[in-house]
């Protein structure tokens, strides 16, 4: 597939470079650091988010290097020493990265990517990692809400013309497909990433012809096996649907083609779809499906179906591709630990008067705990990196915010979520195909309880700390004078 050849090395906050220069000049450039990527709240008040964007992070890391033009530009800023610029000429990522696979449901507070690398390298990649993971995780999360609202009916992503720039359109379409959309209107997203592109006509097609019927008939003749006719250019029930029926009967049925569709793009979609369904069925076109679009989101789709709308599939544009209801995914990149000269891991914590902004220290791993009886996920457990859960032994879980709330579980399975992506700067992970990511995402969401999947007031899925990690965090807070 076609890849984006653009050099994104300088797509970073300028302070990443000033800090890197500072680390270099103070002899800290080889200090090994651990950074976590996590988020604090689920967009739209949902029960979970969906991780996406890892493949683009991999491409970025593999192509990360400063060319002569980059070095000349940085020299022109007058901020950096020649020794530092010489160092950048040979800059490569040499560290380790762990991440959850794309399509994994993720929850607030838990790392869904961890970076271990020398200080300059670990610090420098922060901006691109966050912009990539934040954007695609946001669109994947919104898309999946819309897909679930459609209750098994196909949803296509229609938002390119309203996206925030070309990357917003293309990578948004990619994320939407991973999260369950059946395809996209964006042709480049198909060429680059395999999100299936499709589409039929605009109102202008119909307006270009002497009359609506001729436009429909011509389209059916050109594309008999994919004829979806847009019926709201003039009047849906008085001309659009009758002319579509006539074109289908005169062009498609004589060829034995019964699969066709009409699209509604305005008006009262419940009323119009019900009326159109009766007209199509009365004409013997029972296999003709009805597609609806027009500023849809999960709430509108849910209400349409509750009202009895006869809609078979949806096209969703601006409110999906921009996540209009909550257009920011608050992923952050925080230092969790450093290594001393002997290789010992020293946990670090960020303290804040806002409890939600106090970080979880140390190099960590995340387990997802599944009930064996139901197969459903019951909680995630954040542990210190060297802890191992033994499923043959009872496991005590407790709420880190209310430690008296404890539960002992047995008959469970524990699955590590973070998998190795880079080791020593070498890629050790094979990205699945986009169709495999999509299937994986659907399967993982099926492992969540329906209560967690509610749009409003979802069940609070527990993300707990191991006792060892909680003790370390508590001690660091004491040392900081916070408790």
């Amino acid at each position: 597939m076609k890849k984006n050849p653009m050099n994104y090395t300088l797509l970073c906050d300028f302070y990443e470079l000033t800090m890197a220069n500072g680390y270099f000049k103070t002899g800290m450039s080889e200090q090994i650091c651990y950074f976590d990527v996590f988020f604090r709240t689920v967009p739209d008040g949902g029960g979970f988010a969906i991780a996406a964007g890892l493949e683009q992070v991999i491409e970025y890391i593999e192509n990360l290097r400063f060319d002569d033009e980059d070095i000349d530009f940085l020299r022109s800023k007058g901020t950096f020493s020649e020794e530092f610029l010489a160092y950048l000429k040979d800059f490569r990522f040499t560290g380790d990265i762990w991440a959850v696979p794309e399509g994994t449901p993720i929850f607030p507070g838990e790392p869904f990517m961890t970076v271990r690398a020398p200080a300059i390298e670990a610090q420098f990649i922060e901006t691109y990692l966050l912009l990539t993971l934040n954007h695609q995780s946001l669109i994947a999360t919104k898309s999946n809400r819309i897909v679930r609202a459609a209750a098994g009916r196909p949803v296509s992503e229609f938002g390119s013309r309203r996206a925030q720039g070309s990357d917003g359109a293309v990578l948004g379409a990619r994320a939407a497909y991973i999260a369950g959309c059946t395809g996209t209107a964006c042709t480049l997203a198909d060429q680059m990433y395999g999100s299936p592109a499709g589409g039929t006509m605009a109102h202008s097609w119909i307006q270009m012809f002497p009359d609506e019927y001729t436009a429909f008939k011509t389209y059916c003749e050109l594309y008999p096996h994919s004829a979806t006719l847009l019926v709201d250019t003039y009047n849906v029930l008085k001309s659009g649907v009758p002319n579509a029926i006539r074109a289908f009967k005169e062009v498609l049925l004589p060829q034995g083609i019964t699969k066709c569709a009409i699209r509604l793009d305005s008006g009262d979609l419940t009323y119009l779809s019900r009326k159109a369904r009766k007209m199509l069925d009365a004409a013997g076109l029972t296999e003709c499906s009805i597609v609806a679009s027009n500023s849809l989101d999960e709430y509108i789709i849910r209400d349409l179906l509750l009202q009895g709308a006869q809609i078979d599939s949806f096209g969703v544009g601006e409110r999906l591709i921009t996540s209009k209801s909550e257009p920011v995914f608050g992923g952050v990149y925080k230092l969790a630990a450093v290594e001393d000269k002997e290789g010992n891991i020293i946990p670090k914590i960020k303290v804040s008067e806002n409890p939600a902004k106090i970080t979880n220290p140390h190099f960590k791993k995340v387990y997802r705990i599944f009930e064996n009886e139901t197969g459903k996920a019951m909680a995630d457990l954040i542990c210190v990196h060297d802890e191992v859960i033994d499923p043959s032994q009872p496991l005590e879980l407790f709420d880190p915010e209310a430690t008296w709330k404890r539960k002992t579980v047995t008959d469970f399975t524990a699955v590590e979520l973070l998998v190795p992506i880079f080791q020593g700067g070498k890629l050790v992970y094979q990205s699945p195909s986009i169709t495999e990511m999509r299937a994986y995402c659907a399967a993982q969401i099926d492992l969540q309880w329906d209560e967690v999947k509610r749009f409003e007031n979802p069940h609070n899925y527990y993300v707990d700390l191991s006792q060892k990690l909680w003790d370390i965090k508590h001690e660091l807070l004491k040392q900081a004078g916070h408790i």
Side-chain angles (χ1 to χ4, degrees):
M1 294 179 185
K2 182 178 179 180
K3 299 296 182 183
N4 191 337
M6 184 173 178
N7 177 7
Y8 286 121
T9 298
L10 290 187
L11 207 175
C12 66
D13 291 290
F14 193 73
Y15 75 9
E16 310 292 7
L17 288 159
T18 60
M19 285 190 289
N21 186 58
Y23 292 143
F24 181 83
K25 295 182 73 172
T26 56
M28 297 175 64
S29 60
E30 298 306 312
Q31 170 75 66
I32 298 297
C33 303
Y34 295 79
F35 282 84
D36 290 334
V37 179
F38 62 94
F39 69 104
R40 296 189 177 103
T41 58
V42 180
D44 292 310
F48 62 94
I50 295 174
L54 175 59
E55 187 174 343
Q56 284 63 55
V57 169
I58 290 171
E59 292 172 5
Y60 166 76
I61 294 294
E62 290 205 290
N63 292 287
L64 184 59
R65 61 205 63 202
F66 293 81
D67 60 27
D68 290 341
E69 185 178 356
D70 297 332
I71 298 297
D72 289 343
F73 170 75
L74 294 177
R75 181 178 290 113
S76 74
K77 300 297 289 183
T79 304
F80 308 108
S81 67
E82 284 299 320
E83 293 80 7
F84 177 64
L85 295 177
Y87 162 83
L88 292 183
K89 286 184 178 181
D90 297 320
F91 183 88
R92 299 290 187 273
F93 183 78
T94 63
D96 309 321
I97 295 179
W98 297 262
V100 303
E102 295 193 70
T104 301
I106 52 177
F107 298 90
E110 62 187 17
F112 62 99
M113 178 176 285
T114 294
V115 175
R116 175 193 177 273
I120 291 179
E121 299 174 27
Q123 193 78 68
F124 182 77
I125 64 176
E126 173 183 7
T127 304
Y128 192 88
L129 263 60
L130 286 180
L131 76 87
T132 300
L133 298 172
N134 278 338
H135 172 242
Q136 290 199 54
S137 298
L138 175 72
I139 303 305
T141 302
K142 184 65 170 181
S143 299
N144 186 257
R145 288 170 63 87
I146 292 169
V147 167
R148 285 185 282 123
R153 297 164 181 82
V155 175
S156 292
E157 182 278 310
F158 276 11
S160 295
R161 62 193 62 188
R162 303 286 172 79
Q164 276 93 351
S166 55
D167 275 355
V170 176
L171 294 174
R174 175 187 185 274
Y177 185 67
I178 290 171
C181 287
T182 55
T184 178
C186 181
T187 309
L188 185 57
D190 193 346
Q191 183 189 28
M192 292 184 68
Y193 299 113
S195 176
T200 54
M201 64 176 66
H203 293 106
S204 56
W205 168 272
I206 298 156
Q207 294 171 290
M208 289 287 289
F209 287 83
D211 57 74
E212 189 176 49
Y213 168 71
T214 304
F216 288 170
K217 179 175 181 289
T218 303
Y219 198 90
C220 288
E221 290 170 343
L222 291 170
Y223 307 106
H225 294 287
S226 58
T228 298
L229 305 180
L230 184 58
V231 296
D232 71 333
T233 304
Y234 303 118
N235 188 297
V236 172
L237 301 179
K238 290 183 178 180
S239 67
V241 176
N243 281 326
I245 289 172
R246 181 183 171 191
F248 291 148
K249 282 190 167 185
E250 293 182 4
V251 179
L252 300 186
L253 294 187
Q255 301 180 60
I257 299 171
T258 57
K259 294 285 188 180
C260 53
I262 63 169
R263 179 160 73 95
L264 301 169
D265 192 48
S266 61
D268 186 327
L269 297 179
T270 298
Y271 172 78
L272 293 174
S273 67
R274 292 171 70 174
K275 289 290 188 180
R277 182 75 271 160
K278 289 182 180 179
M279 295 168 70
L280 292 167
D281 290 349
L285 295 168
T286 56
E287 293 186 61
C288 180
S289 60
I290 299 175
V291 184
S293 51
N294 188 29
S295 297
L296 301 175
D297 61 18
E298 65 268 41
Y299 299 106
I300 295 173
I301 289 173
R302 183 181 62 181
D303 287 349
L304 288 171
L305 297 179
L306 287 172
Q307 293 162 8
Q310 297 297 298
I311 298 171
D312 301 294
S313 63
F314 298 91
V316 185
E318 62 192 47
R319 299 188 183 188
L320 182 158
I321 204 66
T322 64
S323 187
K324 182 179 179 181
S325 55
E326 189 159 341
V328 176
F329 191 88
V332 295
Y333 188 81
K334 297 299 181 183
L335 181 69
V338 298
E339 288 184 14
D340 64 18
K341 293 181 180 179
E342 287 72 41
N344 300 306
I345 301 174
I346 311 301
K348 296 288 185 175
I349 192 169
K350 177 185 179 294
V351 178
S352 171
E353 291 300 318
N354 181 349
K357 291 194 171 184
I358 297 175
T359 60
N360 290 318
H362 222 301
F363 176 31
K364 300 177 288 292
K365 62 173 65 172
V366 183
Y367 284 101
R368 183 151 293 165
I369 311 300
F370 295 93
E371 293 180 352
N372 286 340
E373 181 180 358
T374 64
K376 299 292 187 181
M378 70 170 78
D380 286 1
L381 184 62
I382 308 176
C383 303
V384 180
H385 69 99
D386 57 2
E387 292 187 84
V388 177
I389 293 179
D390 182 357
S392 69
Q393 300 297 317
L395 176 66
E396 185 178 59
L397 302 174
F398 65 92
D399 185 340
E401 303 300 324
T403 56
W404 61 90
K405 295 181 180 179
R406 293 176 178 260
K407 178 181 181 180
T408 299
V409 297
T410 58
D411 192 29
F412 66 91
T413 298
V415 177
E416 279 196 57
L417 296 186
L418 294 160
V419 299
I421 309 299
F422 285 91
Q423 291 183 344
K426 303 296 184 183
L427 180 64
V428 296
Y429 178 77
Q430 178 65 49
S431 290
S433 70
I434 195 169
T435 54
E436 291 171 330
M437 294 180 197
R438 185 172 181 271
Y440 167 81
C441 181
Q444 292 302 304
I445 290 170
D446 282 344
L447 299 178
Q448 296 295 323
W449 290 97
D450 288 342
E451 292 83 351
V452 177
K453 293 185 275 189
R454 285 196 297 259
F455 292 155
E456 290 99 3
N457 299 315
H459 169 74
N460 180 34
Y461 183 91
Y462 286 102
V463 177
D464 298 332
L465 306 184
S466 70
Q467 187 67 56
K468 180 177 180 179
L469 180 57
W470 190 90
D471 289 342
I472 292 169
K473 182 176 183 178
H474 197 256
E475 181 59 30
L476 289 174
L477 288 173
K478 286 175 61 178
Q479 291 176 14
H482 198 73
I483 56 176

